[in-house]
């Protein structure tokens, strides 16, 4: 299995390669792998040099702009392994974490199928309003939720955001409060991050967070 | 007093200037008066800025480097305060990145290399038995350039435009796209300043050691500190140009739009790393080799025997100098390297442990077979051996690729290089300051404070840095301004930060000891340690002319071989500055060479050069405009003064 990992200041873009284009999966900051199978990570960077390191699975390998590097590894035990950028890459080098989730092959296949699906249209009125807030605001300049008109590719892809355990590259546990805090003032949590502060009225923010929380 | 007079000197005397006053004729008091007049520095501010006396320049060089050490130490204390607890709020990421950049940059460029050269500027001409360093005006120029470079980069820091890209300034992070503004440019120009200064001193040391040795100091009688400095100077000559080329290419990428390091236009980001580490690894040994020379030259005084394995130590130092250029790639094991390259550089990295091991064995053998006297310098030597062996062992560990990919850029490596740099270089340096302080100032440092200083430094250092090995193995990367509480690194980091306070206190105590002893220390006498090398053959502090008569060396430990009085060579003129130039291998006197008088032009040239360097941070045209005052200053500096030699 081959994954393309692209380093960004300061998050990880992960693309599951597949011969058939509709099975290519793009996600961020959380790598799922099947246990007991060799995995190849093909590394590259679009900005500065980063370095990928999961102490309990493999040593470091740099992500270099203009060059391709490779990590081959295999996880034998299911579990969640934390990783972090190991090459100084600017202001938020400290907050460039990620998770590797190793699960049995069946669970992994199910996860991958679920991730490939586009986001379901929200049913609750609150979440429907939230979707409108999302599509109206500056979020879509950088982010994408497949199944909606949003198509930003600058920031992490959000189609199944709520299935991830952390937001902001391993910085905050995924929950309502952290989502709201991150959207309104990312610069106090991760100063220098490329996500700007967004002014959203409190009602709309609640709806937006409900919408995002439902992206499973 | 037995008098050895070289035939050739005599011949020269008869041929050219037979009537001139010489040090062979005057009585001692008269000689002192005349030589002081010839070699002395004028009192007052003018004398201070024009002096070319290697002792005055060496002393201010040492003081300046220690000033930068304290600034960098303060930066480290702020960083430790920030890391003492998870999600610390002492400083933000922007300031933290500036702090660790300034800490590393200052320690490597403004302290470690410079202080070793500074000590050598003071000590080497005395060890060689000569009256001044070679190219004394270049020496003055070197100091001013160094000072202005250091002031520039710290000035930038205090104006909140200090560099924030790490002491290694990897591209593309330090390139125009990801470091807009002028911060990285200040870093790159600081490199240019300090490397010009370091290269100048390297040239002076090589010439002083090869051509100005006391008559009779054949190659096999050169003291080990001088051997170490000779090797270091050659390493500086070959290593520093690499980083200067690199930093100049970086500045051109940033200022005039070249693309050396821009992969989008065919540049290469790894080229920077090769250029940087081709300098950066020898740099480590440029710091360590002088320290090893200090150990070798201090040990005889405190063990009452010549150092064990003199030849082995010389050959070790030379092979370290050569091998250190063949292992830079071990800093790049986690980039894209071919496997053969990894194997080669693993092997070469392990190979250098052999000459280092030989040195350790020689020193241990000296201590075991001697009668050790545990004064403060000796305590620092023992502390050095313990700490450096630990740092060396982790060094062999990180040379192995599979292990290195885990510990690279983690706190394990932070621990490793502080063990080799503080344990391997700063401990010997502190010992050497205690050892040579009487020669620098005429007074002894306090032994009681010295013991406190050593034990605080040794215990505090190990308490602060040993746990970092563990933090690294637990996964803590370097250069992070904070970490999350769930990672459970908090307790250990708090312990490290508290121990760092002890280390800082030990340096504060050292500073206090220096200041206290300057005024109240016991007067030292010429040779308080009963040491064997020539710097102890003159008074403490030495007179402006160093030696009333040039000593003649008859053995490897000249002061122990000639207990009653050293044989001397006479025939130098006393009414003008003259040195004896000797042959490279046999140290046979070859000719009398004049030594330059004080001059204001080194300072003015340094100011002009500073204008050019700082201006070129902002506009490439500064190189054009700035070269005009520089040309004027250099022309004045080298203008023939009308004496016979200049016109020959």
């Amino acid at each position: 299995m081959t994954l393309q990992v692209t380093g960004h200041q300061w998050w990880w873009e992960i693309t599951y390669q597949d011969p058939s284009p509709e099975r290519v999966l793009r996600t961020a900051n959380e790598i799922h792998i099947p246990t007991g199978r060799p995995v190849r990570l093909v590394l590259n960077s679009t900005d500065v040099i980063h370095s990928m390191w999961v102490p309990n699975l493999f040593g470091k390998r740099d992500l270099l702009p203009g060059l391709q590097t490779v990590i081959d590894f295999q996880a034998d035990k299911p579990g969640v392994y934390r990783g972090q950028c190991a090459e100084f890459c600017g202001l938020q080098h400290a907050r460039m974490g990620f998770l590797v989730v190793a699960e049995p092959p069946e669970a992994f296949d199910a996860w991958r199928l679920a991730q490939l699906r586009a986001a379901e249209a929200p049913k609750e009125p609150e979440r429907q309003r939230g979707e409108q807030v999302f599509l109206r605001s500056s979020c879509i300049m950088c982010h994408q939720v497949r199944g909606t008109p949003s198509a930003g590719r600058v920031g992490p892809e959000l189609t199944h955001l709520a299935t991830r355990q952390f937001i902001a590259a391993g910085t905050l546990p995924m929950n309502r409060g952290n989502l709201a805090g991150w959207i309104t003032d990312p610069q106090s949590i991760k100063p220098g991050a490329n996500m700007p502060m967004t002014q959203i009225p409190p009602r709309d923010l609640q709806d937006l967070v409900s919408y995002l929380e439902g992206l499973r | 007093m037995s008098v050895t007079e070289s035939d050739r000197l005599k011949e020269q005397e008869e041929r050219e200037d037979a009537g001139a006053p010489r040090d062979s004729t005057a009585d001692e008091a008269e000689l002192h008066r005349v030589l002081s007049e010839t070699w002395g520095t004028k009192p007052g501010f003018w004398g201070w800025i024009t002096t070319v006396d290697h002792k005055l320049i060496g002393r201010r060089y040492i003081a300046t480097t220690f000033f930068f050490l304290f600034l960098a130490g303060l930066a480290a204390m702020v960083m430790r305060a920030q890391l003492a607890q998870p999600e610390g709020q002492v400083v933000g990421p922007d300031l933290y990145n500036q702090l660790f950049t300034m800490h590393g940059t200052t320690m490597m460029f403004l302290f470690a290399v410079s202080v070793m050269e500074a000590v050598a500027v003071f000590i080497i001409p005395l060890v060689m038995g000569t009256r001044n360093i070679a190219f004394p005006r270049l020496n003055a120029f070197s100091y001013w350039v160094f000072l202005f470079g250091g002031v520039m980069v710290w000035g930038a820091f205090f104006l909140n435009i200090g560099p924030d890209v790490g002491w290694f300034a990897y591209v593309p992070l330090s390139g125009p796209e990801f470091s807009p503004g002028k911060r990285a440019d200040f870093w790159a120009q600081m490199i240019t300043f300090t490397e010009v200064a370091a290269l100048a001193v390297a040239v002076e040391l090589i010439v002083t050691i090869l051509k100005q040795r006391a008559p009779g100091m054949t190659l096999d009688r050169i003291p080990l500190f001088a051997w170490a400095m000779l090797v270091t100077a050659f390493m500086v000559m070959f290593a520093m140009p690499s980083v200067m080329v690199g930093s100049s290419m970086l500045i051109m990428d940033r200022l005039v739009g070249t693309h050396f390091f821009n992969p989008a236009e065919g540049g290469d980001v790894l080229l920077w790393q090769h250029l940087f580490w081709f300098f950066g690894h020898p740099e480590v040994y440029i710091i360590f080799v002088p320290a090893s020379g200090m150990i070798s030259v201090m040990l005889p005084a405190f063990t009452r025997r010549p150092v064990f394995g003199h030849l082995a130590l010389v050959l070790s130092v030379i092979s370290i100098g050569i091998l250190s250029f063949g292992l830079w790639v071990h800093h790049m094991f986690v980039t894209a390297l071919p496997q053969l390259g990894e194997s080669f550089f693993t092997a070469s990295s392990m190979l250098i442990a052999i000459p280092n091991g030989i040195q350790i064995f020689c020193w241990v053998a000296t201590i075991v077979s001697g009668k050790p006297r545990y004064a403060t310098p000796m305590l620092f030597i023992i502390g050095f051996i313990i700490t450096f062996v630990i740092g060396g062992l982790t060094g062999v560990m990180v040379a192995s690729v599979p292990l290195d990919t885990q510990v690279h850029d983690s706190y394990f490596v932070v621990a490793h290089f502080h063990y080799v740099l503080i344990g391997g270089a700063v401990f010997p340096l502190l010992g050497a300051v205690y050892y040579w302080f009487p020669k620098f100032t005429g007074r002894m440092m306090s032994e009681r404070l010295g013991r406190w200083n050593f034990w605080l430094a040794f215990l505090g250092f190990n308490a602060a840095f040993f746990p970092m090995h563990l933090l690294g193995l637990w996964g803590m990367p370097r250069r992070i301004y904070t970490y999350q509480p769930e990672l459970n690194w908090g307790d250990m980091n708090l312990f490290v930060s508290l121990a760092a306070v002890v280390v800082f206190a030990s340096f504060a105590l050292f500073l206090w000891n220096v200041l206290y002893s300057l005024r109240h220390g016991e007067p030292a006498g010429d040779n308080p340690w009963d040491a064997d090398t020539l710097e102890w053959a003159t008074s403490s502090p030495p007179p402006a002319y160093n030696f009333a008569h040039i000593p003649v060396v008859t053995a490897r430990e000249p002061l122990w071989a000639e207990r009653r009085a050293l044989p001397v060579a006479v025939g130098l003129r006393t009414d003008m500055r003259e040195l004896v130039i000797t042959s490279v291998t046999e140290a046979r006197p070859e000719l009398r060479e004049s030594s330059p008088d004080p001059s204001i032009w080194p300072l003015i040239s340094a100011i002009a050069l500073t204008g050019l360097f700082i201006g070129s941070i902002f506009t490439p045209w500064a190189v054009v405009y700035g070269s005009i005052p520089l040309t004027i200053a250099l022309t004045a500096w080298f203008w023939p003064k009308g004496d016979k030699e200049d016109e020959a």
Side-chain angles (χ1 to χ4, degrees):
Chain A
M1 196 171 73
T2 302
L3 281 71
Q4 174 79 40
V5 179
T6 307
H8 298 274
Q9 284 179 320
W10 291 272
W11 60 283
W12 309 82
E13 178 183 354
I14 296 132
T15 310
Y16 289 74
Q17 310 282 23
D18 200 278
S20 50
E22 74 276 10
R23 279 183 54 82
V24 172
L25 170 63
R26 199 173 142 256
T27 179
N29 298 332
E30 193 171 301
I31 302 174
H32 284 247
I33 53 161
T35 49
R37 292 200 194 151
V39 178
R40 165 163 288 194
L41 304 178
V42 178
L43 312 177
N44 188 249
S45 168
T46 55
D47 42 46
V48 303
I49 301 175
H50 305 278
S51 191
M52 198 163 198
W53 183 31
V54 185
N56 291 325
L57 289 178
F58 51 80
K60 296 167 198 76
R61 185 62 58 183
D62 283 354
L63 293 78
L64 301 156
L67 285 163
Q68 210 167 58
T69 47
V70 168
I71 296 173
D72 288 309
F73 76 107
Q74 176 172 325
D76 291 324
K77 273 188 249 154
V80 178
Y81 303 89
R82 186 177 180 278
Q84 188 166 350
C85 178
E87 181 63 80
F88 177 63
C89 56
L91 276 179
Q92 285 303 330
H93 169 55
R95 297 205 196 276
M96 191 171 161
F98 62 99
L99 294 182
V100 175
V101 180
E103 45 201 0
E106 311 79 56
F108 169 76
D109 290 338
W111 173 85
R112 186 168 179 175
L113 274 180
Q115 294 280 318
L116 280 167
R117 278 197 290 275
E120 285 172 34
K123 298 188 183 68
E124 305 85 352
E126 191 189 4
R127 291 197 60 231
Q128 284 168 346
R129 285 198 304 277
E131 184 181 36
Q132 289 311 309
V133 174
F134 177 72
L135 294 174
R136 263 202 328 265
S137 64
S138 56
C139 308
I140 55 167
M141 305 295 285
C142 304
H143 295 287
Q144 178 181 33
V145 174
R146 278 178 284 124
T148 73
S150 64
R153 301 283 295 238
V154 177
E157 120 102 50
L158 302 179
T159 312
H160 299 282
L161 172 69
T163 63
R164 297 181 205 148
Q165 300 183 21
F166 285 90
I167 56 171
T171 305
L172 299 169
M174 170 71 69
N175 61 43
R176 229 186 137 74
N178 283 340
L179 273 173
W182 175 245
I183 292 166
T184 42
D185 192 6
Q187 295 301 321
S188 74
I189 295 161
K190 206 167 159 176
N194 289 319
M195 180 149 152
M197 291 197 255
T198 314
Q199 298 289 340
I200 300 178
R203 249 313 274 292
D204 288 358
L205 182 64
Q206 293 299 329
D207 296 341
L208 176 61
V209 171
S210 300
Y211 170 67
L212 294 175
E213 270 194 311
L215 292 174
R216 303 205 137 266
Chain B
M1 186 178 289
S2 67
V3 173
T4 311
E5 205 167 359
S6 142
D7 292 342
R8 295 190 59 177
L9 281 182
K10 210 187 222 168
E11 212 173 280
Q12 209 178 16
E13 179 182 339
E14 284 160 6
R15 198 171 54 230
E16 286 163 16
D17 42 8
R22 285 169 200 283
D23 56 4
S24 40
T25 52
D27 67 88
E28 291 293 310
E30 172 66 8
L31 188 62
H32 172 72
R33 195 191 59 74
V34 178
L35 282 174
S36 296
E37 199 165 292
T38 305
W39 286 89
T41 294
K42 285 195 187 68
F45 182 69
W46 184 253
W48 195 80
I49 58 173
T50 56
T51 186
V52 292
D53 184 334
H54 74 98
K55 299 179 291 300
L56 298 179
I57 293 168
R59 234 163 32 197
R60 70 174 69 141
Y61 225 134
I62 296 169
T64 311
T65 56
F66 270 95
F67 175 70
F68 287 130
L69 167 76
F70 275 89
L71 284 180
L74 283 171
M77 294 312 290
V78 178
M79 289 193 285
R80 281 321 313 176
Q82 163 71 10
L83 292 177
Q85 50 177 330
E87 302 291 0
Q89 296 292 329
V90 179
V91 294
D94 182 63
L95 183 55
Y96 187 88
N97 291 351
Q98 287 186 67
L99 283 169
F100 82 69
T101 302
M102 292 303 291
H103 175 77
T105 299
T106 303
M107 286 300 192
M108 296 304 268
F109 293 102
L110 300 176
F111 173 66
V113 174
S114 319
V115 75
M116 297 302 176
E117 291 195 328
V119 170
V121 161
F122 189 102
I123 289 293
I124 284 291
L126 293 167
V127 172
M128 297 292 103
T130 185
R131 284 188 175 155
N132 204 350
I133 199 164
F135 314 125
R137 288 182 183 175
L138 184 65
N139 194 30
F141 174 76
S142 161
Y143 171 73
W144 296 119
V145 170
F146 167 77
L147 175 71
F148 296 152
V151 168
M152 175 201 71
V153 73
W154 275 96
F157 172 76
F158 286 115
L159 295 172
N160 195 26
I161 41 175
D164 58 350
V165 288
W167 87 282
F168 46 93
Y170 273 11
V171 292
L173 184 61
S174 61
E177 193 181 347
F178 300 100
S179 289
K182 293 295 171 193
R183 288 176 160 189
D185 300 283
F186 280 107
W187 181 86
Q189 279 312 46
M190 181 281 311
I191 295 290
T192 321
F193 274 103
T194 51
E195 310 304 75
V196 166
L199 281 167
V201 175
V203 170
E204 296 152 27
L205 289 177
I206 289 172
V207 175
T208 307
I209 294 170
L210 290 184
K211 294 301 291 178
Q212 286 183 216
R213 299 202 302 276
M217 190 187 282
T218 54
L219 279 187
D220 67 335
R221 289 177 186 161
I222 297 182
L224 285 160
F225 180 61
W227 268 116
M229 286 318 303
L230 181 66
V231 170
T232 304
F234 274 109
M235 289 167 74
V236 167
M237 298 264 284
F238 287 104
M240 299 281 177
S242 172
V243 72
M244 276 175 80
V245 165
S247 68
S248 302
M249 286 156 88
L250 175 62
I251 264 211
M252 284 194 274
D253 267 17
R254 296 177 54 86
L255 195 67
V256 296
T258 55
H259 295 288
F260 291 111
F261 305 121
N262 178 5
E265 298 286 343
D268 188 343
V269 293
L270 286 185
L271 173 62
W272 168 264
Q273 298 189 19
H274 282 292
L275 287 171
F276 187 81
W277 291 117
F278 186 78
F279 141 83
H281 204 83
E283 162 98 341
V284 178
Y285 288 95
I286 287 170
I287 295 165
F288 170 68
V289 165
S292 75
M294 291 170 176
I295 303 269
S296 299
V297 86
M298 286 190 284
L299 267 182
F302 297 100
T303 56
R304 313 310 312 152
R305 57 152 293 164
V307 75
F308 179 91
H310 180 96
L311 181 63
L313 283 167
V314 172
L315 295 178
S316 296
V317 163
I318 295 173
S319 45
I320 289 172
I322 294 167
L323 286 174
S324 71
F325 282 88
L327 32 84
W328 78 96
V329 176
H330 73 208
H331 294 268
M332 300 165 61
F333 278 157
V334 303
T335 63
L337 283 184
Q339 199 134 34
L340 189 66
E342 291 185 348
S343 311
F344 177 87
F345 286 99
T346 291
S348 63
S349 305
M350 291 185 170
L351 198 61
I352 202 162
I354 294 171
N356 280 310
I358 291 173
Q359 287 194 306
I360 298 279
F361 282 120
C362 288
W363 292 324
V364 170
T366 311
I367 295 171
V368 169
S369 61
K371 297 192 253 332
R373 178 157 59 98
Y374 293 98
T376 306
M378 188 65 179
L379 292 178
F380 275 108
I381 292 174
I382 306 279
F384 152 82
I385 290 177
I386 295 167
T387 320
F388 184 70
V389 166
I390 297 174
L393 288 175
T394 54
V396 177
M397 287 161 77
V398 297
S400 143
V401 175
L403 192 84
D404 185 67
T405 58
Q406 273 293 346
V407 298
H408 179 83
D409 272 345
S410 78
Y411 263 79
F412 188 91
V413 169
V414 177
H416 157 70
F417 71 73
H418 281 94
Y419 264 80
V420 287
L421 289 176
I422 296 186
V426 177
F427 282 0
L429 174 73
L430 292 181
V433 171
Y434 278 88
Y435 177 72
W436 277 316
F437 192 80
K439 199 48 69 181
F440 296 152
T441 66
R443 291 179 186 274
M444 305 294 288
M445 281 176 81
S446 158
E447 269 295 304
R448 197 172 57 85
L449 289 175
R451 276 162 208 281
W452 275 95
N453 181 184
F454 168 73
W455 285 109
L456 280 179
F458 181 72
L459 297 175
F461 169 80
N462 279 287
F465 288 93
F466 194 82
M468 288 188 187
H469 292 110
L470 301 174
L471 282 169
L473 294 174
W474 296 343
M476 183 168 166
R478 295 169 73 177
R479 299 162 187 143
I480 52 170
Y481 74 97
T482 193
Y483 52 92
Q484 285 116 317
E486 302 85 58
L487 296 166
N488 290 324
W489 302 333
D491 293 345
M492 195 60 104
N493 270 300
L494 180 62
F495 180 80
V496 167
S497 293
L498 292 175
V501 176
V502 179
V503 180
F504 193 81
S506 77
F507 280 89
L509 195 66
F510 170 79
L511 181 66
W512 168 247
N513 196 353
V514 167
L515 297 176
Y516 177 84
S517 305
L518 269 178
R519 288 175 154 269
H520 306 290
E522 299 251 331
D526 292 3
N527 189 0
W529 310 109
D530 190 23
D532 62 302
T533 40
L534 285 183
E535 75 270 31
W536 303 104
T538 182
S539 61
S540 308
Y545 48 86
N546 288 356
F547 300 92
H549 300 287
I550 301 302
V552 170
V553 172
T554 55
R556 196 177 276 162
E557 288 81 26
L559 300 201
W560 288 357
E562 308 282 345
R563 280 279 173 193
R564 279 182 304 128
L566 276 178
V568 296
V570 295
L572 291 179
R573 281 173 67 160
T574 51
D575 60 334
M576 56 177 283
R577 298 181 175 212
E578 271 192 351
L579 308 167
V580 181
I581 299 296
T582 51
S583 63
V584 171
T585 49
E586 304 282 316
R588 285 211 193 88
E590 285 180 331
L591 48 101
R592 292 181 287 127
E593 173 73 18
S594 69
S595 180
D597 291 321
S599 165
I600 189 64
W601 293 107
L603 173 59
I604 293 175
S605 305
I607 292 171
L609 188 69
T610 302
L612 189 159
F613 281 170
I614 295 183
S616 67
I617 289 176
F618 300 95
T619 163
W621 286 102
V623 178
V624 179
Y625 303 137
S627 61
I628 296 166
L630 188 61
T631 307
I632 295 169
L634 289 176
T635 307
W637 178 347
F638 294 110
W639 196 261
K641 305 295 183 301
D643 38 55
K644 224 170 169 182
E645 182 167 310
D646 284 333
E647 283 164 6

